[in-house]
mmCIF file of all heavy atoms in Angstrom:
data_model
loop_
_atom_site.group_PDB
_atom_site.id
_atom_site.type_symbol
_atom_site.label_atom_id
_atom_site.label_comp_id
_atom_site.label_asym_id
_atom_site.label_seq_id
_atom_site.Cartn_x
_atom_site.Cartn_y
_atom_site.Cartn_z
ATOM 1 N N GLU A 216 0.846 -1.191 0.000
ATOM 2 C CA GLU A 216 0.000 0.000 0.000
ATOM 3 C C GLU A 216 0.887 1.248 0.000
ATOM 4 O O GLU A 216 1.895 1.312 0.700
ATOM 5 C CB GLU A 216 -0.897 -0.006 1.234
ATOM 6 C CG GLU A 216 -1.957 1.082 1.226
ATOM 7 C CD GLU A 216 -2.913 0.978 2.401
ATOM 8 O OE1 GLU A 216 -2.639 0.175 3.325
ATOM 9 O OE2 GLU A 216 -3.921 1.710 2.412
ATOM 10 N N TYR A 217 0.498 2.245 -0.772
ATOM 11 C CA TYR A 217 1.276 3.477 -0.844
ATOM 12 C C TYR A 217 0.350 4.651 -1.114
ATOM 13 O O TYR A 217 -0.811 4.489 -1.472
ATOM 14 C CB TYR A 217 2.342 3.384 -1.940
ATOM 15 C CG TYR A 217 1.770 3.278 -3.347
ATOM 16 C CD1 TYR A 217 1.583 4.410 -4.140
ATOM 17 C CD2 TYR A 217 1.415 2.039 -3.890
ATOM 18 C CE1 TYR A 217 1.057 4.318 -5.420
ATOM 19 C CE2 TYR A 217 0.896 1.928 -5.165
ATOM 20 C CZ TYR A 217 0.710 3.074 -5.926
ATOM 21 O OH TYR A 217 0.181 2.981 -7.195
ATOM 22 N N ARG A 218 0.883 5.852 -0.920
ATOM 23 C CA ARG A 218 0.174 7.078 -1.240
ATOM 24 C C ARG A 218 1.105 7.993 -2.028
ATOM 25 O O ARG A 218 2.288 8.116 -1.699
ATOM 26 C CB ARG A 218 -0.294 7.803 0.031
ATOM 27 C CG ARG A 218 -1.355 7.061 0.810
ATOM 28 C CD ARG A 218 -2.709 7.078 0.111
ATOM 29 N NE ARG A 218 -3.731 6.463 0.939
ATOM 30 C CZ ARG A 218 -4.029 5.155 0.940
ATOM 31 N NH1 ARG A 218 -3.370 4.336 0.128
ATOM 32 N NH2 ARG A 218 -4.965 4.673 1.719
ATOM 33 N N ILE A 219 0.569 8.625 -3.043
ATOM 34 C CA ILE A 219 1.339 9.555 -3.865
ATOM 35 C C ILE A 219 1.394 10.913 -3.174
ATOM 36 O O ILE A 219 0.435 11.358 -2.554
ATOM 37 C CB ILE A 219 0.706 9.680 -5.262
ATOM 38 C CG1 ILE A 219 0.855 8.340 -6.018
ATOM 39 C CG2 ILE A 219 1.341 10.808 -6.063
ATOM 40 C CD1 ILE A 219 0.133 8.296 -7.341
ATOM 41 N N GLY A 220 2.544 11.587 -3.290
ATOM 42 C CA GLY A 220 2.751 12.873 -2.630
ATOM 43 C C GLY A 220 3.200 12.658 -1.206
ATOM 44 O O GLY A 220 4.122 11.894 -0.924
ATOM 45 N N THR A 221 2.560 13.318 -0.284
ATOM 46 C CA THR A 221 2.824 13.119 1.136
ATOM 47 C C THR A 221 1.508 12.760 1.816
ATOM 48 O O THR A 221 0.471 12.637 1.170
ATOM 49 C CB THR A 221 3.421 14.384 1.774
ATOM 50 O OG1 THR A 221 2.532 15.484 1.522
ATOM 51 C CG2 THR A 221 4.789 14.699 1.201
ATOM 52 N N ALA A 222 1.548 12.622 3.142
ATOM 53 C CA ALA A 222 0.364 12.149 3.862
ATOM 54 C C ALA A 222 -0.830 13.079 3.703
ATOM 55 O O ALA A 222 -1.972 12.656 3.874
ATOM 56 C CB ALA A 222 0.698 11.978 5.342
ATOM 57 N N GLY A 223 -0.592 14.327 3.372
ATOM 58 C CA GLY A 223 -1.699 15.270 3.197
ATOM 59 C C GLY A 223 -2.191 15.385 1.774
ATOM 60 O O GLY A 223 -3.067 16.204 1.483
ATOM 61 N N GLY A 224 -1.637 14.597 0.846
ATOM 62 C CA GLY A 224 -2.099 14.654 -0.529
ATOM 63 C C GLY A 224 -1.256 15.514 -1.444
ATOM 64 O O GLY A 224 -1.666 15.829 -2.564
ATOM 65 N N GLY A 225 -0.057 15.900 -1.005
ATOM 66 C CA GLY A 225 0.808 16.691 -1.873
ATOM 67 C C GLY A 225 0.521 18.179 -1.770
ATOM 68 O O GLY A 225 0.188 18.696 -0.699
ATOM 69 N N ASN A 226 0.630 18.875 -2.889
ATOM 70 C CA ASN A 226 0.511 20.330 -2.949
ATOM 71 C C ASN A 226 -0.914 20.778 -2.620
ATOM 72 O O ASN A 226 -1.841 20.591 -3.400
ATOM 73 C CB ASN A 226 0.905 20.806 -4.354
ATOM 74 C CG ASN A 226 0.955 22.310 -4.462
ATOM 75 O OD1 ASN A 226 0.480 23.028 -3.587
ATOM 76 N ND2 ASN A 226 1.535 22.798 -5.551
ATOM 77 N N GLN A 227 -1.085 21.409 -1.452
ATOM 78 C CA GLN A 227 -2.417 21.832 -1.014
ATOM 79 C C GLN A 227 -3.027 22.892 -1.935
ATOM 80 O O GLN A 227 -4.255 22.977 -2.062
ATOM 81 C CB GLN A 227 -2.348 22.375 0.409
ATOM 82 C CG GLN A 227 -2.166 21.312 1.474
ATOM 83 C CD GLN A 227 -3.370 20.398 1.589
ATOM 84 O OE1 GLN A 227 -4.489 20.849 1.769
ATOM 85 N NE2 GLN A 227 -3.136 19.103 1.468
ATOM 86 N N ALA A 228 -2.197 23.691 -2.592
ATOM 87 C CA ALA A 228 -2.711 24.761 -3.448
ATOM 88 C C ALA A 228 -3.435 24.224 -4.682
ATOM 89 O O ALA A 228 -4.156 24.964 -5.349
ATOM 90 C CB ALA A 228 -1.586 25.692 -3.870
ATOM 91 N N ARG A 229 -3.253 22.949 -4.995
ATOM 92 C CA ARG A 229 -3.953 22.344 -6.132
ATOM 93 C C ARG A 229 -5.315 21.774 -5.743
ATOM 94 O O ARG A 229 -6.040 21.277 -6.602
ATOM 95 C CB ARG A 229 -3.094 21.227 -6.726
ATOM 96 C CG ARG A 229 -1.740 21.686 -7.257
ATOM 97 C CD ARG A 229 -1.070 20.557 -8.019
ATOM 98 N NE ARG A 229 0.266 20.901 -8.470
ATOM 99 C CZ ARG A 229 0.992 20.146 -9.292
ATOM 100 N NH1 ARG A 229 0.501 19.011 -9.749
ATOM 101 N NH2 ARG A 229 2.206 20.521 -9.654
ATOM 102 N N GLN A 230 -5.649 21.836 -4.473
ATOM 103 C CA GLN A 230 -6.884 21.223 -3.998
ATOM 104 C C GLN A 230 -8.094 22.115 -4.285
ATOM 105 O O GLN A 230 -8.023 23.337 -4.155
ATOM 106 C CB GLN A 230 -6.785 20.948 -2.495
ATOM 107 C CG GLN A 230 -5.733 19.928 -2.102
ATOM 108 C CD GLN A 230 -6.118 18.509 -2.503
ATOM 109 O OE1 GLN A 230 -7.249 18.248 -2.883
ATOM 110 N NE2 GLN A 230 -5.169 17.598 -2.409
ATOM 111 N N PRO A 231 -9.234 21.503 -4.650
ATOM 112 C CA PRO A 231 -10.415 22.303 -5.005
ATOM 113 C C PRO A 231 -10.987 23.134 -3.867
ATOM 114 O O PRO A 231 -11.604 24.174 -4.105
ATOM 115 C CB PRO A 231 -11.427 21.251 -5.489
ATOM 116 C CG PRO A 231 -10.946 19.943 -4.951
ATOM 117 C CD PRO A 231 -9.463 20.061 -4.873
ATOM 118 N N TYR A 232 -10.780 22.710 -2.613
ATOM 119 C CA TYR A 232 -11.398 23.446 -1.510
ATOM 120 C C TYR A 232 -10.887 24.869 -1.394
ATOM 121 O O TYR A 232 -11.561 25.758 -0.850
ATOM 122 C CB TYR A 232 -11.214 22.698 -0.176
ATOM 123 C CG TYR A 232 -9.834 22.774 0.434
ATOM 124 C CD1 TYR A 232 -9.474 23.785 1.320
ATOM 125 C CD2 TYR A 232 -8.867 21.815 0.132
ATOM 126 C CE1 TYR A 232 -8.211 23.851 1.881
ATOM 127 C CE2 TYR A 232 -7.596 21.862 0.694
ATOM 128 C CZ TYR A 232 -7.276 22.881 1.562
ATOM 129 O OH TYR A 232 -6.019 22.927 2.114
ATOM 130 N N LEU A 233 -9.684 25.144 -1.917
ATOM 131 C CA LEU A 233 -9.087 26.470 -1.775
ATOM 132 C C LEU A 233 -9.558 27.458 -2.841
ATOM 133 O O LEU A 233 -9.255 28.654 -2.750
ATOM 134 C CB LEU A 233 -7.563 26.369 -1.815
ATOM 135 C CG LEU A 233 -6.872 26.068 -0.486
ATOM 136 C CD1 LEU A 233 -5.382 25.891 -0.681
ATOM 137 C CD2 LEU A 233 -7.134 27.171 0.532
ATOM 138 N N GLU A 234 -10.276 26.979 -3.839
ATOM 139 C CA GLU A 234 -10.674 27.852 -4.945
ATOM 140 C C GLU A 234 -11.538 29.020 -4.483
ATOM 141 O O GLU A 234 -11.566 30.076 -5.112
ATOM 142 C CB GLU A 234 -11.416 27.038 -6.010
ATOM 143 C CG GLU A 234 -10.520 26.041 -6.742
ATOM 144 C CD GLU A 234 -11.297 25.170 -7.711
ATOM 145 O OE1 GLU A 234 -12.544 25.319 -7.790
ATOM 146 O OE2 GLU A 234 -10.663 24.341 -8.391
ATOM 147 N N LYS A 235 -12.256 28.856 -3.378
ATOM 148 C CA LYS A 235 -13.168 29.894 -2.889
ATOM 149 C C LYS A 235 -12.498 30.856 -1.905
ATOM 150 O O LYS A 235 -13.147 31.799 -1.438
ATOM 151 C CB LYS A 235 -14.379 29.254 -2.216
ATOM 152 C CG LYS A 235 -15.219 28.385 -3.133
ATOM 153 C CD LYS A 235 -16.381 27.764 -2.372
ATOM 154 C CE LYS A 235 -17.214 26.869 -3.271
ATOM 155 N NZ LYS A 235 -18.340 26.235 -2.518
ATOM 156 N N TYR A 236 -11.226 30.609 -1.596
ATOM 157 C CA TYR A 236 -10.572 31.390 -0.549
ATOM 158 C C TYR A 236 -9.349 32.133 -1.078
ATOM 159 O O TYR A 236 -8.717 31.720 -2.052
ATOM 160 C CB TYR A 236 -10.151 30.481 0.604
ATOM 161 C CG TYR A 236 -11.310 29.819 1.308
ATOM 162 C CD1 TYR A 236 -11.695 28.525 0.978
ATOM 163 C CD2 TYR A 236 -12.031 30.487 2.290
ATOM 164 C CE1 TYR A 236 -12.760 27.905 1.616
ATOM 165 C CE2 TYR A 236 -13.091 29.880 2.935
ATOM 166 C CZ TYR A 236 -13.454 28.588 2.592
ATOM 167 O OH TYR A 236 -14.503 27.984 3.224
ATOM 168 N N GLU A 237 -9.017 33.191 -0.379
ATOM 169 C CA GLU A 237 -7.826 33.963 -0.725
ATOM 170 C C GLU A 237 -6.595 33.296 -0.120
ATOM 171 O O GLU A 237 -6.590 32.917 1.049
ATOM 172 C CB GLU A 237 -7.950 35.389 -0.186
ATOM 173 C CG GLU A 237 -6.735 36.259 -0.477
ATOM 174 C CD GLU A 237 -6.839 37.644 0.155
ATOM 175 O OE1 GLU A 237 -7.910 37.958 0.721
ATOM 176 O OE2 GLU A 237 -5.841 38.387 0.092
ATOM 177 N N PHE A 238 -5.550 33.147 -0.926
ATOM 178 C CA PHE A 238 -4.270 32.646 -0.424
ATOM 179 C C PHE A 238 -3.163 33.153 -1.331
ATOM 180 O O PHE A 238 -3.416 33.615 -2.451
ATOM 181 C CB PHE A 238 -4.249 31.116 -0.345
ATOM 182 C CG PHE A 238 -4.380 30.412 -1.671
ATOM 183 C CD1 PHE A 238 -3.265 30.046 -2.407
ATOM 184 C CD2 PHE A 238 -5.639 30.098 -2.175
ATOM 185 C CE1 PHE A 238 -3.388 29.389 -3.619
ATOM 186 C CE2 PHE A 238 -5.780 29.443 -3.386
ATOM 187 C CZ PHE A 238 -4.656 29.083 -4.116
ATOM 188 N N ARG A 239 -1.944 33.109 -0.854
ATOM 189 C CA ARG A 239 -0.784 33.497 -1.649
ATOM 190 C C ARG A 239 0.184 32.335 -1.746
ATOM 191 O O ARG A 239 0.248 31.505 -0.840
ATOM 192 C CB ARG A 239 -0.068 34.710 -1.028
ATOM 193 C CG ARG A 239 -0.855 35.993 -1.065
ATOM 194 C CD ARG A 239 0.030 37.223 -0.859
ATOM 195 N NE ARG A 239 0.676 37.270 0.445
ATOM 196 C CZ ARG A 239 1.976 37.160 0.649
ATOM 197 N NH1 ARG A 239 2.801 36.924 -0.372
ATOM 198 N NH2 ARG A 239 2.482 37.243 1.874
#
């Protein structure tokens, strides 16, 4: 068993949940 990226799913900035929020 393995997971791609890291335990949190890799690059958080690519995640859909952030599309509605401001971030840099």
Side-chain angles (χ1 to χ4, degrees):
E216 188 175 10
Y217 65 94
R218 293 288 185 271
I219 293 173
T221 55
N226 186 347
Q227 286 294 306
R229 299 189 184 188
Q230 295 289 348
Y232 75 90
L233 274 176
E234 292 175 358
K235 298 179 181 179
Y236 296 97
E237 179 184 354
F238 64 92
R239 293 198 297 113

